[in-house]
Amino acid sequence: MGNGFLIQAMVYLSAAIICVPVAKKLGMGSVLGYLIAGIVVGPFLLGFIGEEGEDIMHFAEFGVVMMLFLIGLELEPKKLWKIRKLILGTGLSQVLVTTFAVFAISLVLGMNWQASLAIGMSLAMSSTAIVLQSMKEKNLMQSSAGRSSFAILLFQDIAVIPILAILPLLAIHTINADAAVSHSILDGLPGWLQTLALLGAITSIIVAGRFGISPLLRIVAKSRIRELFTASALLIVTGIAFLMGMVGLSPALGTFLAGVILANSEFRHELESDIEPFKGLLLGLFFMAVGASINFQLIAEKPFVIATLTLGIILLKASIIFTIGRFSKLSHDQNMIMSISLSQVGEFAFVTISFIGQLDILNREDTELMMAVTAMSMSITPVLILLNEKYVLPHLGTKKIDERPADAIDEKNKIIIAGFSHFGSTLGRFLRANGVNATILDHDSDRVDLLRKMGFKVFYGDATRVDLLESAGAREANILISAIDSHETNLVLVETIQKHFPNLQLMVRTKNRFDAYELMNKEVKHIYREHLESSVRMGVDVLKKLGFRSYTVQRAAQHFIGYDEAAMQELHKLWHDTNLYISAARKQIEIQEELLNNDFAQKPSFNDHAWDSDEMKRVFAGK
Amino acid sequence: MRKILVLFAHPRFEHSVVNNAMVVMEKQLSFITFQDLYESYPDFNIDVKREQELLLAHDVIIWQHPFYWYSCPPLLKQWIDLVLEFNWAYGPNGDALKEKYILNVVTTGGAREAYQTDGRNRFTINQMLAPFDQTATLCKMVYLPPFAVQGTHRLQPNELAIKVEEYKALLNFLSIETSPLKTLLHLEIINDHFIQPK
């Protein structure tokens, strides 16, 4: 490990540490921060790093692979199956229409058809890294824009396979082709064997994911050596990426597949938390490399051409996606978010364009030009997203803040509800039925519109953002209710509130006791497990059907809930002390066991002696 | 100084002018522990242990409630059912409350004249409180005559203020260790001893 490596690492890390917080502070998002950091340290500004930018980019693309693995982890096979039409419909039409449009324009501009088609296919791709990272950061993944964008990106990843297969066929000078295409060990093999190998690779991922990985992880988890687990997680990702690369498939697609298969596994959360930091760093590195690779010299030479091309492509891609969005009935603002987000040329173009160059489909000058345009379009995207959010969306569809004239109710809105899906809406309706009008924060624009029509005071956006909380009146309010479904968002929200609005009392919905423990670690006092009351109520009805008297069961239920809440405080200590690394699943079973033992020892339902004259009879009989 | 525990039972407290005035005054007195039963146990799930500890820590107990249907609201009856346990409050070993003082403080819509043997309600207030009297007696407590704010439907603000003053005088009297409480046992309602000079 030479000094050079250390210096480079230092340069990248410090650039990131300086630029990203500043960018976030200015509301620009981390992607733009990384890009700017890359430009600053790159060869054209400070020159700390030189031409190795592209190598680093290839290395850092592994971040994208990891990201898709993580996305796969969050997507169970069932959910993936549900969105198959979306993937096929919007994805296919986006790739085909964009390819064709760019192809046609290139022909008109005087290129031969081979080059036009190659460029068309390259430019149809968008940047998975930039889009998903930006959307995750803004909590848009669950919105309709997020889902459609994801579907398109996923299809693009699949489309990479045939595109890489088609490109060599376009080569004008077949002599060069062999050298360039040798990216796969299968090339020498006959076609049927190649297909078989591809299927074999995919099958082995599915089989390994199903039957191999979980037992392996269980063994590793038992060793209780934390870094071993991290190592296994990395091994899974690198192994699959390698396997996919070997048969010439997209590594990102392979790890995505593995992620989906492991989404049901008990190790999902561990894998997530282990890969997450690597993914974050590599993606950051990737964005910085993109920033550093922008050829400002070329831009300075041909500013007009590059600007026109970049803006033209962005406009073209955005309008095609917008049209597709219209067909899939996205509302205007969601559609705008999607179109702008996907409007850039993706990182995949770096690969295809250099490949095209090697194949001599495109001359050197044009290749350089396309590279510059790609990098520019990627760098501009975060800016466009920002502009769209600040200046376009407020005039379109759902506004962040309702601009109705403030009325008297405003001053009494001492309560803020974050999240207005099933849980929040029931709660909000109950409060309103009792004359308490809470301020609502929600990030589903369709729901926000409906609520505003119904006269609710609603703020649209991500509830964890300080500025949104501020404008919703978090300074003056007394209570903030989090009815948010996602535990992770809840944790972020709790931290934000505790840091910026310590005046607010927090009341937090939570899914289960394990999430509750984490909230208790953060010293949240009012925690509501969403299932507790209804499951006990169901138990009450069961006992009634079995012939128990209603009031007896009612009292038993009251005791049980009281006892369970007390037990939660007790077991929290146990959870807290379990600092050792063991899998969440095992931890949960331990706690479950402890609970059942407690039930047995304390018999919360059987020590109710109210209206019980047995003891009296016994005492008087004994006399 | 005797410590007083007020067990307050009112299912619709926010609408009660008279009880509000009384409670505001009570809460200012340092020797009083105010236990709002409907606030503490909206689900009727009374914490028996806690209530028993409260009883043990006080010398004078007050059941304060509106006189609904010639009795107390259901939660106070629930309290009596659950808290006064066999062999704790009564029964062969039930001496926990022995010689503590206890009384009802009630508000009635009807005037005092209505609560007479020849009145509309045919019984006096303390005749109707006989179950409470006997409950206290079974628990070996000293049951004092009730304090009653009556005719609340027609009570004028100045009259209410006077009643509150009378009640305050009673509470102060109860709190003083040397007050001869047993001399009041013969009264029909304990108010009569605390009529304020006009």
Side-chain angles (χ1 to χ4, degrees):
Chain A
M1 196 182 293
N3 260 343
F5 168 79
L6 288 182
I7 289 170
Q8 263 196 30
M10 246 172 60
V11 166
Y12 276 111
L13 292 175
S14 40
I17 288 167
I18 294 165
C19 290
V20 177
V22 173
K24 281 219 91 167
K25 192 95 201 162
L26 298 174
M28 296 196 292
S30 67
V31 177
L32 196 53
Y34 281 121
L35 283 168
I36 293 171
I39 294 173
V40 170
V41 298
F44 298 96
L45 261 176
L46 296 182
F48 284 141
I49 46 172
E51 300 302 323
E52 71 276 10
E54 254 173 62
D55 296 336
I56 285 174
M57 201 185 312
H58 287 308
F59 172 62
E61 259 173 48
F62 205 64
V64 183
V65 172
M66 287 179 165
M67 180 163 72
L68 272 147
F69 181 65
L70 292 177
I71 289 167
L73 278 180
E74 283 168 24
L75 203 71
E76 290 163 29
K78 254 187 270 169
K79 282 194 209 157
L80 185 63
W81 186 244
K82 262 191 204 158
I83 58 168
R84 67 190 187 281
K85 277 188 192 150
L86 195 65
I87 296 174
L88 218 65
T90 54
L92 185 67
S93 44
Q94 189 270 337
V95 172
L96 285 185
V97 175
T98 313
T99 304
F100 181 76
V102 176
F103 171 70
I105 292 171
S106 305
L107 275 186
V108 173
L109 290 178
M111 292 199 183
N112 59 36
W113 72 268
Q114 290 96 332
S116 305
L117 187 58
I119 292 177
M121 290 189 296
S122 308
L123 299 195
M125 305 291 132
S126 305
S127 169
T128 310
I130 289 182
V131 179
L132 292 188
Q133 184 70 14
S134 304
M135 287 203 159
K136 283 211 145 178
E137 213 166 275
K138 294 179 197 304
N139 254 330
L140 286 171
M141 285 305 287
Q142 294 307 317
S143 67
S144 34
R147 281 196 298 268
S148 299
S149 306
F150 176 70
I152 290 179
L153 290 169
L154 195 62
F155 184 84
Q156 290 180 353
D157 260 319
I158 299 169
V160 165
I161 306 162
I163 289 177
L164 280 179
I166 293 171
L167 283 179
L169 306 179
L170 300 175
I172 302 164
H173 306 289
T174 37
I175 322 118
N176 280 343
D178 270 352
V181 185
S182 63
H183 61 282
S184 152
I185 57 156
L186 303 177
D187 290 313
L189 301 175
W192 64 271
L193 211 59
Q194 284 194 25
T195 318
L196 213 64
L198 287 184
L199 289 177
I202 291 175
T203 317
S204 63
I205 288 178
I206 294 175
V207 172
R210 263 277 147 84
F211 307 106
I213 296 179
S214 284
L216 177 85
L217 289 179
R218 224 164 280 140
I219 296 167
V220 174
K222 268 195 192 135
S223 75
R224 303 204 179 196
I225 301 171
R226 176 138 202 140
E227 63 271 21
L228 256 193
F229 198 91
T230 311
S232 332
L234 287 174
L235 178 66
I236 292 170
V237 177
T238 46
I240 291 166
F242 176 72
L243 181 68
M244 294 309 262
M246 214 164 64
V247 297
L249 286 180
S250 146
L253 199 64
T255 48
F256 172 75
L257 195 64
V260 172
I261 290 159
L262 288 172
N264 284 328
S265 121
E266 75 244 47
F267 295 106
R268 194 187 117 186
H269 292 295
E270 266 83 15
L271 287 173
E272 259 171 7
S273 57
D274 275 352
I275 298 283
E276 185 72 42
F278 291 98
K279 176 216 92 176
L281 276 178
L282 282 175
L283 269 188
L285 191 59
F286 172 75
F287 295 134
M288 283 197 279
V290 171
S293 73
I294 296 178
N295 190 340
F296 283 98
Q297 206 176 337
L298 191 69
I299 293 173
E301 280 166 21
K302 303 178 179 170
F304 185 71
V305 180
I306 291 182
T308 317
L309 275 179
T310 309
L311 292 179
I313 288 166
I314 286 177
L315 195 67
L316 179 74
K317 290 192 74 171
S319 37
I320 289 171
I321 293 165
F322 193 82
T323 316
I324 292 169
R326 292 293 295 152
F327 277 111
S328 44
K329 300 202 174 64
L330 284 184
S331 60
H332 280 305
D333 54 336
Q334 293 287 316
N335 204 357
M336 271 307 276
I337 293 175
M338 174 169 83
S339 314
I340 297 289
S341 301
L342 292 174
S343 67
Q344 77 294 108
V345 181
E347 55 272 11
F348 177 63
F350 289 124
V351 181
T352 45
I353 290 171
S354 64
F355 191 32
I356 293 168
Q358 286 163 341
L359 291 174
D360 274 352
I361 302 174
L362 214 59
N363 62 39
R364 195 180 155 68
E365 200 184 334
D366 285 345
T367 310
E368 289 258 303
L369 198 65
M370 290 317 298
M371 289 287 214
V373 168
T374 303
M376 277 306 285
S377 76
M378 281 168 81
S379 314
I380 285 180
T381 310
V383 181
L384 289 179
I385 292 175
L386 197 67
L387 292 177
N388 181 42
E389 195 176 285
K390 282 253 156 77
Y391 300 106
V392 183
L393 292 183
H395 304 288
L396 202 74
T398 310
K399 298 180 179 75
K400 185 164 131 193
I401 294 164
D402 199 358
E403 277 158 8
R404 280 180 310 134
D407 46 28
I409 298 167
D410 278 12
E411 292 138 45
K412 289 182 198 152
N413 275 339
K414 293 281 167 67
I415 294 184
I416 299 173
I417 301 179
F420 213 66
S421 57
H422 313 294
F423 194 96
S425 68
T426 312
L427 175 75
R429 276 174 45 223
F430 176 69
L431 293 182
R432 190 150 101 142
N434 287 285
V436 175
N437 285 296
T439 302
I440 296 160
L441 305 179
D442 201 281
H443 75 297
D444 182 324
S445 60
D446 295 339
R447 187 154 61 216
V448 167
D449 287 340
L450 171 78
L451 290 173
R452 280 186 187 155
K453 258 185 240 151
M454 304 296 290
F456 284 95
K457 189 174 162 74
V458 190
F459 288 79
Y460 170 53
D462 175 5
T464 59
R465 273 174 43 189
V466 176
D467 60 332
L468 189 75
L469 285 163
E470 189 99 44
S471 45
R475 287 251 177 269
E476 301 80 37
N478 306 1
I479 299 174
L480 183 126
I481 297 163
S482 169
I484 291 171
D485 189 63
S486 146
H487 176 58
E488 286 70 30
T489 314
N490 256 332
L491 288 180
V492 178
L493 180 62
V494 165
E495 272 168 24
T496 312
I497 298 291
Q498 285 173 339
K499 185 164 165 220
H500 297 278
F501 308 100
N503 57 308
L504 278 173
Q505 283 190 63
L506 269 168
M507 302 175 89
V508 185
R509 159 206 185 183
T510 175
K511 280 229 179 312
N512 53 48
R513 64 174 62 239
F514 309 106
D515 292 351
Y517 291 147
E518 275 187 71
L519 289 168
M520 286 162 88
N521 285 346
K522 293 199 181 302
E523 277 159 24
V524 177
K525 299 237 160 46
H526 307 287
I527 300 169
Y528 299 83
R529 281 175 285 157
E530 59 183 37
H531 62 271
L532 179 61
E533 256 83 9
S534 38
S535 51
V536 173
R537 247 186 64 198
M538 195 163 161
V540 164
D541 287 349
V542 171
L543 291 177
K544 280 201 270 190
K545 282 195 190 302
L546 292 177
F548 282 72
R549 296 269 306 161
S550 298
Y551 189 64
T552 306
V553 182
Q554 163 74 11
R555 285 180 60 80
Q558 290 171 334
H559 287 155
F560 187 84
I561 289 174
Y563 148 82
D564 193 65
E565 306 239 272
M568 193 161 94
Q569 299 289 336
E570 274 309 304
L571 293 183
H572 175 231
K573 293 172 201 154
L574 184 77
W575 177 268
H576 206 65
D577 291 340
T578 316
N579 218 349
L580 293 165
Y581 173 67
I582 49 171
S583 83
R586 289 183 37 149
K587 234 184 276 184
Q588 294 184 10
I589 286 171
E590 261 174 42
I591 298 259
Q592 203 72 266
E593 184 186 341
E594 196 69 31
L595 267 176
L596 291 169
N597 279 336
N598 270 2
D599 292 352
F600 194 68
Q602 298 201 9
K603 298 196 177 63
S605 301
F606 296 103
N607 61 3
D608 185 5
H609 299 299
W611 296 282
D612 184 359
S613 51
D614 286 354
E615 196 196 348
M616 212 187 300
K617 283 181 203 151
R618 198 174 46 74
V619 169
F620 288 121
K623 261 191 172 175
Chain B
M1 173 162 274
R2 292 196 188 98
K3 286 199 283 180
I4 302 177
L5 173 65
V6 175
L7 296 165
F8 177 68
H10 199 310
R12 195 99 191 196
F13 179 41
E14 63 270 43
H15 287 244
S16 168
V17 177
V18 175
N19 275 293
N20 255 300
M22 292 162 78
V23 169
V24 166
M25 178 276 292
E26 287 174 298
K27 283 188 170 168
Q28 287 165 354
L29 302 178
S30 59
F31 49 83
I32 281 187
T33 304
F34 187 81
Q35 169 64 322
D36 188 339
L37 293 177
Y38 272 93
E39 191 64 19
S40 300
Y41 310 114
D43 54 0
F44 276 53
N45 188 19
I46 290 171
D47 184 343
V48 173
K49 199 154 258 154
R50 173 169 168 230
E51 290 302 312
Q52 290 180 343
E53 276 161 14
L54 275 174
L55 285 172
L56 290 177
H58 293 82
D59 310 300
V60 179
I61 316 298
I62 291 176
W63 284 319
Q64 182 182 346
H65 57 91
F67 201 50
Y68 291 155
W69 284 108
Y70 314 108
S71 185
C72 65
L75 181 55
L76 183 54
K77 179 59 166 63
Q78 178 102 339
W79 181 94
I80 291 171
D81 282 9
L82 298 184
V83 178
L84 302 180
E85 281 182 326
F86 175 71
N87 260 351
W88 182 81
Y90 69 104
N93 299 318
D95 292 332
L97 304 176
K98 200 172 176 181
E99 271 154 30
K100 291 186 190 291
Y101 294 91
I102 190 161
L103 71 152
N104 290 72
V105 171
V106 299
T107 53
T108 68
R112 188 171 180 180
E113 297 77 56
Y115 287 87
Q116 298 298 330
T117 33
D118 54 354
R120 223 154 38 89
N121 291 322
R122 296 172 51 232
F123 301 93
T124 64
I125 270 270
N126 40 2
Q127 280 173 337
M128 292 200 215
L129 287 170
F132 295 90
D133 186 342
Q134 177 52 25
T135 299
T137 307
L138 187 65
C139 297
K140 308 175 186 85
M141 300 168 86
V142 182
Y143 185 75
L144 298 171
F147 180 90
V149 180
Q150 299 193 277
T152 55
H153 297 329
R154 294 204 190 84
L155 205 63
Q156 295 304 307
N158 58 327
E159 292 171 319
L160 173 59
I162 291 168
K163 289 289 175 196
V164 171
E165 276 312 302
E166 289 178 7
Y167 185 37
K168 189 176 181 179
L170 164 67
L171 292 171
N172 277 318
F173 183 77
L174 291 171
S175 74
I176 295 165
E177 197 83 52
T178 51
S179 293
L181 298 187
K182 287 186 178 154
T183 61
L184 306 176
L185 286 173
H186 67 284
L187 293 168
E188 178 197 311
I189 57 174
I190 210 164
N191 306 40
D192 293 344
H193 187 76
F194 297 94
I195 292 171
Q196 298 290 299
K198 298 218 168 161

